[in-house]
Amino acid sequence: FYWREYTDLLILTDKEVSFYNLVFAAVASIFGLCECFRFWFWRAKRFGENGIDHFRKGPIITDITASNAIFLSWFFRAATVFAMMGAINFTWCWFPLYPSWNFLWALVILFLFSDMWKTIRKVAFRKSRRWILISLTAITIWSFFLSRIQIVDYPAVNQAYIDNNIPLKYNMEYPKSDYYREIANQYLVRSIYMCYSGDSVSTDTPKVFVENKECGFDGLKENLRESFELYHEQDIMLVSLVLHIDKNMPVKYVRQLQDHLGRIGLCRIAYKILPSDQDECSRRFPYTLMRYLPPPPVTDPNPIITVSPYIINNENDYTPIHVTLTPNGLFVNDKPSDLQSMETGIRNLVLEHPDYLVVLDIDDHCTYNDYVQIIGECFKIFSKLRNEKSMEAYQIPFDELSYELQDEMVKRYGSRVDESTKTVKK
């Protein structure tokens, strides 16, 4: 499940393909010239040709053979280590060889060329600099010629991969958030995609996919049921659904998708996001914003997972903190606010009212990006508050507390966020 979504190592631009072809063509040309010299001197040594019998052919053959063997040995070792690190933590993403390390490839080619001629000039052609220029010109021309030969049809390979990768095929843009987490058990993750087929947001119903299979809202339950058959019965309750939604999607469709999932008993929801404090490379990692959504009052008669019914809060259970987002702006308890002042306002209200409940009222016409910003900000507020109180009480961060103390802290400063504005009044 994991690699099918997050690996796009095969997606190479035309410039990258041309560059790598030229580099390996140059290396191959140098090796070919080395073999020509080696054969020439080996033949002269074996048959005693008069033209070059005064040369010391043995050192030349030995040096060329040893240089090539050492280079190949270390090249394959470095390539293997780089590939292994790339498979584990995407080293190729954080340290791209192109274009950041172009000079390294140039140094490798210059080293091979100079090392080839070092022994030859020392032993055989001490005064033949023109032969170096001739060979350098020949290698350059031959390398450019070889680099134009496309043994692998990379555009076709890339297009085949893009056709099976929903975010790339539909140019999906993920929202960014300051608060996020990484799902540990990737084998217990199912992906749902919701996007538009065009480049711009449409008023039509968006496309919905379960993994790579398009199903729409009507076929969501059937396709998810088939997808859940891959898991053991004990693991089904731990499966998380990662929602991949374009950041420009109207909130009304996000709620429609959540409603369909809730009615069939699927409550472990995670939103795929990009961390605000990281670069574009972070999109290859499973960073998410995790939520547990209660199912709606009316559930499906035959749900995928049987869950406890959603108990509507009584009027006097909580003190609501209303967070309202409309196209006209953000409001906290009917007072104009923004993301910066929202943290201070909610934090003060939480400390003032231990029975707090943050009630979100996000307009359907707002974008999914705004939706994630508000929810992520709420979760970040509670996370910072728990950490601050943990340091005050125990002088250690919240993540280092025992499970018992963490449960106690969560009960006091839990992420109590509700989107049902009609369920809570006080």
Coordinates of all heavy atoms in Angstrom, one line a residue, residues 56 95 172 188 315:
R56 N 57.0 0.4 -22.3 CA 56.8 -0.6 -21.2 C 55.3 -0.8 -21.1 O 54.6 -0.1 -20.4 CB 57.4 0.0 -19.9 CG 58.9 0.0 -19.9 CD 59.4 0.6 -18.6 NE 59.2 2.1 -18.6 CZ 59.5 2.9 -17.5 NH1 60.0 2.3 -16.4 NH2 59.3 4.2 -17.6
F95 N 18.6 14.9 -1.0 CA 19.9 15.2 -1.6 C 19.8 14.8 -3.1 O 20.4 13.8 -3.5 CB 21.0 14.5 -0.9 CG 21.1 14.8 0.6 CD1 20.5 13.9 1.5 CD2 21.7 15.9 1.0 CE1 20.6 14.2 2.9 CE2 21.8 16.2 2.4 CZ 21.2 15.4 3.3
M172 N -3.4 17.4 -8.1 CA -3.9 17.7 -6.8 C -2.9 18.5 -6.0 O -1.7 18.3 -6.0 CB -4.3 16.4 -6.0 CG -5.5 15.7 -6.6 SD -5.8 14.2 -5.7 CE -6.2 14.9 -4.1
L188 N -1.9 -0.4 7.6 CA -3.2 -0.3 8.1 C -3.8 1.1 7.6 O -4.5 1.8 8.4 CB -3.3 -0.3 9.6 CG -2.9 -1.7 10.3 CD1 -2.9 -1.6 11.8 CD2 -3.9 -2.7 9.9
E315 N -27.4 19.8 27.0 CA -27.2 21.3 26.9 C -26.3 21.8 27.9 O -25.6 22.7 27.7 CB -28.6 22.0 27.1 CG -29.5 21.8 25.9 CD -30.8 22.6 26.0 OE1 -30.9 23.3 27.0 OE2 -31.6 22.6 25.1

